[in-house]
Amino acid sequence: MTTRTLISPAQLARPRGKVLYWVTFTLVVVLFTLVFLGPLYWMVSGGLKTTQEVVQTPPTLVPDALHPENYSRAWEVMDLARLLFNTLYYAFGALAFQLVLDVAAAYSLSRLRPVFGKAILGMMLATLMIPATVLVVPQYLTVLDVPVFERNLLNSPWAIWLPSVTNAFNIFLLKRFFDSIPKELLDAASMDGASPLRTLRSIVLPISRPILGVVSIFAVVGVWKDFLWPMLTLPDPTKQTLNVGIYSLSTGVPENILIAALTIASIPTLLIFLLFQRSIMSGLTAGGLKG
């Protein structure tokens, strides 16, 4: 089986072909580096400038003088410590609920084979085609007065945790991974007398660490980057998330301080991606491997 490429191996072996290849490769790498790292550099450098330099036209590519104290001032003025604590509290609470309930749902659909399981999965996947903004109003009315319990969940972490549990995409990822687990392994556990719950706890979960890591990252980042829903359900300033709190406190704050606060707010998600990018890719592709 031969592979067709834009440049044949014979042409690539020639000096002219090598030069063309490396010039093209370098240009592509530089272009993508500028596209992805350019906005990050602009944001970090903006937090180091003075207010006058930030708003001046044309803008300066390199700050005339570095002002790292802008970041410490942003930490204090925007009360980022409290906002970070609130966001972490909501994010890891949502993570705990998703790991418990989404894993149970995916395992049931994959291995317990309930009645109408395929129809249930199909309806769950159909919700992915509904824009998130369309669901805002019914979800808000639900948390405003929860049916049966008749409770108002506004300014409560449950307003963040409960809607995050119903994540069809994460359930689909988990189910696809569980489907790839060899059936013989689970049959052997059943023959040894293990119940479905014991099989899940002792066999399925330990070998599902890659996909559990992916779901965990998606759950944390999903709460971290959300803006509209926390703004509607958490009007109390002392309970707001990082994004909503920065937006609420941005009035009257100098532009350089605001940019510094936004830079600090983006650091955790950037670190998560840089540290776990291999885990994300391996977890997303592991479900497609059989055997």
Side-chain angles (χ1 to χ4, degrees), residues 179-252:
D179 289 341
S180 69
I181 297 176
K183 187 174 183 297
E184 295 77 8
L185 185 63
L186 303 181
D187 290 341
S190 179
M191 292 177 62
D192 289 340
S195 63
L197 184 60
R198 177 65 183 274
T199 302
L200 172 64
R201 184 176 66 252
S202 302
I203 297 178
V204 175
L205 291 182
I207 63 179
S208 301
R209 290 177 181 175
I211 195 63
L212 292 177
V214 172
V215 171
S216 300
I217 293 170
F218 285 170
V220 172
V221 173
V223 174
W224 198 281
K225 69 181 181 62
D226 199 7
F227 174 76
L228 179 60
W229 182 249
M231 184 178 65
L232 293 174
T233 57
L234 301 171
D236 187 350
T238 62
K239 299 181 179 180
Q240 290 176 343
T241 60
L242 194 60
N243 293 336
V244 178
I246 292 177
Y247 172 78
S248 302
L249 298 173
S250 61
T251 305

Side-chain angles (χ1 to χ4, degrees), residues 15-291:
R16 183 179 178 182
K18 290 182 179 180
V19 171
L20 179 61
Y21 170 80
W22 284 110
V23 169
T24 304
F25 177 78
T26 303
L27 289 176
V28 171
V29 170
V30 171
L31 177 62
F32 276 88
T33 301
L34 291 176
V35 169
F36 288 103
L37 297 184
L40 296 178
Y41 168 77
W42 197 258
M43 182 172 59
V44 173
S45 63
L48 296 172
K49 298 178 181 178
T50 62
T51 305
Q52 293 76 14
E53 190 177 1
V54 168
V55 300
Q56 78 177 32
T57 304
T60 56
L61 183 61
V62 179
D64 294 335
L66 299 180
H67 297 276
E69 67 275 5
N70 291 342
Y71 285 91
S72 59
R73 185 181 172 193
W75 182 271
E76 297 173 359
V77 172
M78 309 293 286
D79 198 9
L80 295 183
R82 175 180 56 81
L83 296 177
L84 278 170
F85 174 80
N86 290 345
T87 306
L88 289 172
Y89 177 59
Y90 299 139
F92 284 98
L95 169 61
F97 280 101
Q98 285 196 35
L99 287 181
V100 173
L101 299 179
D102 288 1
V103 166
Y107 183 72
S108 299
L109 293 172
S110 175
R111 294 302 175 181
L112 302 185
R113 310 289 183 181
V115 180
F116 305 119
K118 292 184 178 180
I120 294 173
L121 178 62
M123 288 187 290
M124 291 173 56
L125 294 178
T127 61
L128 296 176
M129 295 183 288
I130 303 175
T133 52
V134 176
L135 302 176
V136 169
V137 173
Q139 285 183 344
Y140 182 80
L141 294 177
T142 301
V143 300
L144 191 63
D145 185 12
V146 179
V148 180
F149 297 98
E150 297 182 354
R151 292 287 302 275
N152 185 340
L153 300 181
L154 295 184
N155 286 319
S156 144
W158 296 102
I160 304 296
W161 293 341
L162 294 182
S164 67
V165 173
T166 57
N167 194 313
F169 181 68
N170 285 348
I171 294 176
F172 171 72
L173 288 180
L174 290 166
K175 179 186 180 301
R176 189 181 69 167
F177 188 92
F178 293 159
D179 289 341
S180 69
I181 297 176
K183 187 174 183 297
E184 295 77 8
L185 185 63
L186 303 181
D187 290 341
S190 179
M191 292 177 62
D192 289 340
S195 63
L197 184 60
R198 177 65 183 274
T199 302
L200 172 64
R201 184 176 66 252
S202 302
I203 297 178
V204 175
L205 291 182
I207 63 179
S208 301
R209 290 177 181 175
I211 195 63
L212 292 177
V214 172
V215 171
S216 300
I217 293 170
F218 285 170
V220 172
V221 173
V223 174
W224 198 281
K225 69 181 181 62
D226 199 7
F227 174 76
L228 179 60
W229 182 249
M231 184 178 65
L232 293 174
T233 57
L234 301 171
D236 187 350
T238 62
K239 299 181 179 180
Q240 290 176 343
T241 60
L242 194 60
N243 293 336
V244 178
I246 292 177
Y247 172 78
S248 302
L249 298 173
S250 61
T251 305
V253 175
E255 284 78 0
N256 57 340
I257 302 300
L258 179 59
I259 295 175
L262 293 174
T263 303
I264 296 174
S266 64
I267 289 175
T269 51
L270 291 175
L271 290 177
I272 288 175
F273 174 76
L274 292 176
L275 294 176
F276 300 104
Q277 56 179 329
R278 291 188 178 180
S279 300
I280 294 174
M281 297 307 300
S282 63
L284 290 175
T285 57
L289 302 177
K290 291 284 185 177

